[in-house]
Amino acid sequence: MKPPRDSQRVEQSAVRGEGMSSAEGETLWAQVWGRENLTAALKRVEQNGGAPGIDGMTVRELRPYLKAHWIEHRAQLDAGSYRPSPVRRVEIPKPDGGKRLLGIPTVLDRFIQQALLQALTPLFEPRFSAHSYGFRPKRSAHQAVKAAQAHVQAGYGWVVDMDLDKFFDRVNHDMLMARVARVVKDKRALKLLRRYLESGVMVNGVVVASEEGTPQGGPLSPLLANIMLDDLDRELERRGHRFVRYADDCNIYVKTPRAGERVLASVRRFVEQKLKLKLNETKSKVDRVAKRKILGFRLFRQRGEVLVGMAPKVLGRCRERLREITRRTRGDTLTDILQEVNMHLRGWTGYFRLAATPSPFEELDEWLRRRLRQLVWKRWKKPHTRHRNLLALGVPPRAAYEASTSGKGCWRLAASPPVNQALSNAYWRTQGLMSAKEQYNRLRAT
């Protein structure tokens, strides 16, 4: 039987934490459903956006839905009868050619998971290792890379590069819940967490049960991963190893290849026997630091100093994305395309500003401007249009005529002197195109 609706401002029920007595006020359960926590959870889900789950509800529809239905969902949660929806399976291509399986929860479940996450994080954060950097407050990939850089600078020039095989698909539910229960004593919270682990996956319209794993894609997944792998961190600390872990990627730094092979063998036994997980034998290697990557970067020694650079293929993947944004078949205006280009460049440059050399950013700028000149040249289409536009942009008549009547392809002409003169660097600045190199220099200077 559904509880009666509150006639006074039902629309705020999702952020008021109805149904909490003063006795409950100090419990974890009450903290999860408290007004401030729910308000913050709702805002975070809206900010994160994302695709709908299996019910098709969008993030924009969540707030109106909660206004109408939150009280009944809260009653189900209190009674222990709430059942999370199965996640929607999505396959995302990996840079190495494989596929990453993501599970997209419904927006309602993302909201509930986010509320749980915000209440659980303060309980676990103080217990986590200082060597764990992934998906934690006030910690970042850059900090992980700098920690690795310090280890290498101290003389640990070999790395045990560990990759857990399908970690998010293999986590044992009982082992994970046992680790959560070391800290969380509220039985209702534990029951709800277990139901999220076992909510299942919708594949081609059929719900497949989840007997192990924690699907990537939900707000809780990163925290649960850190809880599961905290035992690995503690074991590595107990052994006195220098290491950096970011989610399911772990690098252990040693001084010799022999030490690395010994560490890899012993850690493999710990992971398989104690955590019931497996290493990806293809990707887990002992190698010189300069030959391995860490979170998109590489570490290399120059004149006695360990520097940070971009990992191989990083620039190529950026070009692939920009090539998609600037494809010649797009019907969007140049202004819209440049806005999308700038958005991608801003995020990409912000992340890779840690690289010590500016040359990749300069190279990217040059390639991108040529790519955009090709796009504009293609859009001008007819020779007389090209001739007229070249003249208007200050190209001498003879050069404008020769370029506009040339039979060369758009990519070749994009590098020709007349088109370069017309669509110069100054032209692109007036159009609002940002420079990756200039952005890099500004970020490095701050």
Side-chain angles (χ1 to χ4, degrees):
M1 180 176 178
K2 294 182 180 179
R5 296 188 184 278
D6 185 348
S7 59
Q8 296 182 345
R9 306 194 67 177
V10 174
E11 69 274 14
Q12 294 188 10
S13 59
V15 294
R16 285 188 178 277
E18 284 89 338
M20 295 184 295
S21 67
S22 58
E24 288 178 307
E26 299 301 317
T27 68
L28 173 64
W29 193 251
Q31 292 172 24
V32 174
W33 314 120
R35 176 181 176 181
E36 291 185 4
N37 192 54
L38 290 176
T39 300
L42 181 58
K43 289 181 179 178
R44 177 56 63 91
V45 171
E46 290 175 333
Q47 289 169 357
N48 289 345
I54 63 169
D55 61 356
M57 186 190 300
T58 65
V59 171
R60 294 185 65 178
E61 295 171 317
L62 176 60
R63 189 177 289 261
Y65 178 84
L66 291 173
K67 290 178 183 179
H69 299 284
W70 175 246
I71 291 179
E72 58 195 77
H73 286 311
R74 175 61 201 277
Q76 292 170 351
L77 289 161
D78 282 341
S81 59
Y82 179 79
R83 294 281 180 179
S85 300
V87 298
R88 181 167 67 86
R89 173 60 52 86
V90 176
E91 295 182 349
I92 305 296
K94 287 184 177 180
D96 61 6
K99 291 184 178 180
R100 177 177 288 109
L101 300 179
L102 296 184
I104 302 179
T106 64
V107 290
L108 173 62
D109 283 323
R110 298 211 290 266
F111 167 67
I112 295 173
Q113 283 194 39
Q114 182 65 37
L116 275 169
L117 173 68
Q118 292 167 180
L120 292 174
T121 296
L123 299 180
F124 286 95
E125 261 302 306
R127 294 171 165 81
F128 286 152
S129 167
H131 306 287
S132 168
Y133 294 90
F135 307 105
R136 295 181 58 191
K138 299 181 181 179
R139 291 191 160 244
S140 68
H142 283 185
Q143 291 174 332
V145 174
K146 289 178 180 178
Q149 183 183 19
H151 293 324
V152 179
Q153 188 69 58
Y156 293 77
W158 290 79
V159 61
V160 181
D161 189 350
M162 286 175 41
D163 185 271
L164 294 172
D165 188 36
K166 298 180 180 178
F167 170 76
F168 287 93
D169 298 329
R170 294 185 185 274
V171 172
N172 182 283
H173 289 171
D174 290 336
M175 295 184 69
L176 174 56
M177 289 305 302
R179 284 157 175 76
V180 174
R182 293 172 185 171
V183 178
V184 177
K185 304 304 178 184
D186 190 299
K187 293 183 178 180
R188 287 178 294 185
L190 292 172
K191 183 177 180 180
L192 184 57
L193 283 170
R194 167 76 74 163
R195 284 188 172 172
Y196 271 115
L197 290 175
E198 299 175 346
S199 60
V201 178
M202 180 74 79
V203 181
N204 297 325
V206 178
V207 177
V208 180
S210 300
E211 297 181 357
E212 61 180 10
T214 169
Q216 283 182 278
L220 280 170
S221 293
L223 175 64
L224 296 176
N226 279 330
I227 292 171
M228 187 67 189
L229 293 175
D230 189 57
D231 281 8
L232 173 61
D233 297 340
R234 297 307 173 189
E235 179 66 14
L236 295 177
E237 288 177 347
R238 187 186 67 78
R239 299 181 185 185
H241 290 312
R242 290 176 177 249
F243 72 98
V244 171
R245 184 175 66 79
Y246 193 96
D248 57 334
D249 291 325
C250 185
N251 285 0
I252 307 170
Y253 295 90
V254 295
K255 289 188 174 181
T256 66
R258 184 177 179 182
E261 294 296 345
R262 186 173 62 250
V263 169
L264 178 58
S266 63
V267 172
R268 180 189 291 111
R269 287 194 297 271
F270 178 84
V271 167
E272 292 179 353
Q273 294 174 9
K274 300 296 184 180
L275 302 182
K276 306 303 179 186
L277 297 169
K278 289 189 177 182
L279 296 187
N280 185 320
E281 298 297 339
T282 302
K283 295 182 179 180
S284 298
K285 300 287 184 182
V286 177
D287 209 340
R288 290 190 180 276
V289 167
K291 295 183 178 180
R292 308 299 289 184
K293 63 181 181 179
I294 174 170
L295 300 172
F297 295 95
R298 66 184 183 94
L299 301 174
F300 62 98
R301 191 175 291 275
Q302 190 175 87
R303 299 189 183 94
E305 184 180 0
V306 177
L307 301 178
V308 179
M310 289 184 193
K313 301 181 181 180
V314 162
L315 191 59
R317 286 197 291 270
C318 181
R319 285 186 177 185
E320 286 177 12
R321 176 59 186 144
L322 291 173
R323 192 176 284 113
E324 174 65 20
I325 295 173
T326 60
R327 64 187 184 278
R328 291 183 295 180
T329 56
R330 282 192 66 168
D332 303 86
T333 66
L334 184 61
T335 299
D336 290 339
I337 291 173
L338 292 181
Q339 286 179 350
E340 194 171 343
V341 166
N342 287 347
M343 184 181 301
H344 181 73
L345 281 182
R346 195 171 289 111
W348 188 85
T349 307
Y351 183 76
F352 285 104
R353 71 182 184 274
L354 209 59
T357 54
S359 55
F361 301 91
E362 185 174 6
E363 180 184 338
L364 181 64
D365 278 340
E366 292 173 357
W367 174 87
L368 177 59
R369 286 192 292 263
R370 182 175 178 181
R371 177 80 186 172
L372 289 168
R373 289 196 298 270
Q374 174 190 237
L375 174 67
V376 171
W377 189 254
K378 179 71 174 178
R379 288 188 168 195
W380 285 350
K381 292 184 179 179
K382 296 182 179 180
H384 69 272
T385 303
R386 292 172 173 174
H387 184 254
R388 182 179 68 247
N389 290 337
L390 290 175
L391 291 175
L393 290 168
V395 177
R398 182 175 180 82
Y401 176 78
E402 291 178 350
S404 61
T405 56
S406 173
K408 295 177 181 178
C410 293
W411 181 248
R412 288 188 64 185
L413 281 166
S416 67
V419 179
N420 257 306
Q421 180 183 345
L423 305 176
S424 63
N425 295 0
Y427 170 85
W428 290 114
R429 278 194 293 272
T430 62
Q431 298 299 310
L433 176 67
M434 69 171 284
S435 163
K437 183 183 177 181
E438 291 176 4
Q439 176 78 352
Y440 166 80
N441 289 335
R442 282 195 295 270
L443 291 171
R444 295 280 293 188
T446 57

